[in-house]
Amino acid sequence: MFQIIRDGAARWSLTLMLAVLLSTPAHGTDSDAEPSFANHIRLQLQRLGHMQTAQAAGSTLRETAALTSAYHQREHAPIWTSESGWHPNAHMLVEYLSRLPQHGISGNRYHLDSLRDLRDGRSLAERIHADLLLSDAYVSLLRDFQRQPEASEDDATALRIITLLLRLKPQEDPAVSLDAALPSDAQYWALSRALRRLLQQREDDQNLAPVEDPIKPGDVHPAVFRMSQRLQQTGDYAGPPSELYSAAIETALRQFQRRHGLDDDGIVGPATREQLNASTDSRIRQLIVNLERRRHSSIPLQSSHIRVNLAAQQLHYVHEGQPVLDMKVIVGRTERPTPLTRSAINEVVLNPDWTVPYRIAVDDKLPLIQQDPNYLPTNGFTVYEGWSRDAPTLDPASIDWQQLSRNNFPYVLRQQPGAGNALGRVKFLFPNPYSVYLHDTPNHSLFDRGQRLFSSGCVRLSQPMVLAEVLLRNHGRADAWRAVGNAEDTMSLPLVDRVPVHLEYWTAWVDGSGDLQFRPDVYGHDETTLAALTEQGQLAAPEILVAELERDRELRLAQVAMDAAY
């Protein structure tokens, strides 16, 4: 599960206060030219250090330890301002903060309104407040951008952020260092643009009536009119709204269904109706969660890798930077979710047997055995006394299965290789603490479903033998693939080059055609992330983000008009 990590305030403060004690004040600053500023900001920082909640111009500072370190190293010279006003970098930072809604973040988490109020202030107190707030905004934003999951902030990160602040030049745009802390992959920025579009159209979408009735092609009904309006809003339908469920509207609905991971049958059943009626605010929050996830889960991908999106039930294989294979997969049921993990495939096993995990044996297999005494021999299962490979076998008919239960099951079930084996013809092993793997399946009819949550945790592949061939050919075992033929014996084929595999969770992304894709939050990870963001005060309501974008637009128009007047 993706986890939003709480601020390590105590560790951060200790690290930076240590930096203050060990650092030598930097020379060559403009502190000598402004003794009044230096003296007053030194006193201000000393005073703030004794306060439980430090504030400047009524706005709460989050990084007082960092500010103390930074200004100490500058001999308390200003970073963003001078006696004649703000440096260009200060104006650029405010502009950057005003664009944060496109990342799903409120600029006011970083003092945006307070800074706008102080922008024209020339008094010493206003300059000190502005300088502190600008520094606090820059450090806070960098730290939030760079926070990594499942790891506390280390000393090196803290000091690196301070170094970036101190290196800023008056004419330098802070956006360069801030954007460098964001994911560089195109997918992040495509999602950011999609969020901005949704925020801009939010008001127009508030008055759309819900679709409340089942609909099928050929129907004439007011619900069709409402559906066509919603398909216009989602960008799937360009024609006029109509009460006739025409071929054009059906084509649009099928596209909508595909973009939302639904069965694209053109019929408005409960699942399609739920996605059609999803509010723009819920979609905005979905994009916010996925942007947050990408900011804090970006691990550099090797040139060859496999990624499985559990929410989309889709696998992608890339070799030496080039897409090679996409396929549908089946993942764990909601009560037995496939875990999020990263590892590397190190072995391909052809014609595997299947040792049934204890939970599946007692929860799934035992009831079937108790209902049908011939279930085990009919389906190729052997019964063993224990878990070792050389454990004695037992005759299933000699066991009183009716007396066994979840808490009383001393046996091991192993299904022999064959056409009916649950793992099919091949499995792909990668070390992980969950004992999951990728594998074939004898039942391929389920791959026709739009949502594919049917396994007990492992990932079933729709094209397993194709993946086996390309992995063996591309990763040092082409000879092994040529020798496979129609072999029926179990064969373990270690790869010469391990292939990184990432089991991930994305409920929103932009595909290669530029279409915005959504998937249901089948495992509840989005809900967990939203709850964590809310608890930490980081989740901005859609209406707040919209208001900030609109204010930014109005201010830009006003500036253009002012420039034209001069």
Side-chain angles (χ1 to χ4, degrees), residues 117-195:
D117 291 341
L118 290 167
R119 184 145 44 181
D120 296 326
R122 297 296 180 88
S123 72
L124 181 60
E126 288 172 318
R127 284 185 53 216
I128 288 174
H129 286 157
D131 226 87
L132 288 172
L133 290 178
L134 287 161
S135 294
D136 190 71
Y138 180 80
V139 172
S140 298
L141 195 51
L142 267 179
R143 187 153 76 97
D144 287 347
F145 280 177
Q146 294 185 352
R147 186 179 60 238
Q148 294 298 314
E150 301 175 4
S152 60
E153 182 134 317
D154 58 23
D155 298 355
T157 300
L159 296 176
R160 183 169 60 249
I161 291 175
I162 293 299
T163 300
L164 288 172
L165 174 64
L166 293 175
R167 286 179 178 172
L168 272 177
K169 300 295 188 292
Q171 305 295 325
E172 181 182 350
D173 191 347
V176 175
S177 51
L178 289 168
D179 282 349
L182 290 169
S184 59
D185 64 286
Q187 186 58 228
Y188 178 86
W189 295 96
L191 273 181
S192 174
R193 290 190 294 271
L195 175 59

Side-chain angles (χ1 to χ4, degrees), residues 331-351:
V331 301
R333 305 191 290 274
T334 53
E335 67 273 18
R336 297 183 189 175
T338 301
L340 303 175
T341 190
R342 294 184 176 92
S343 185
I345 295 175
N346 57 7
E347 186 176 1
V348 177
V349 180
L350 294 166
N351 303 310

Side-chain angles (χ1 to χ4, degrees), residues 64-84:
T64 52
L67 303 189
T68 301
S69 173
Y71 285 98
H72 173 78
Q73 293 182 61
R74 285 180 56 83
E75 297 183 347
H76 298 92
I79 297 175
W80 307 88
T81 67
S82 68
E83 289 179 295
S84 58

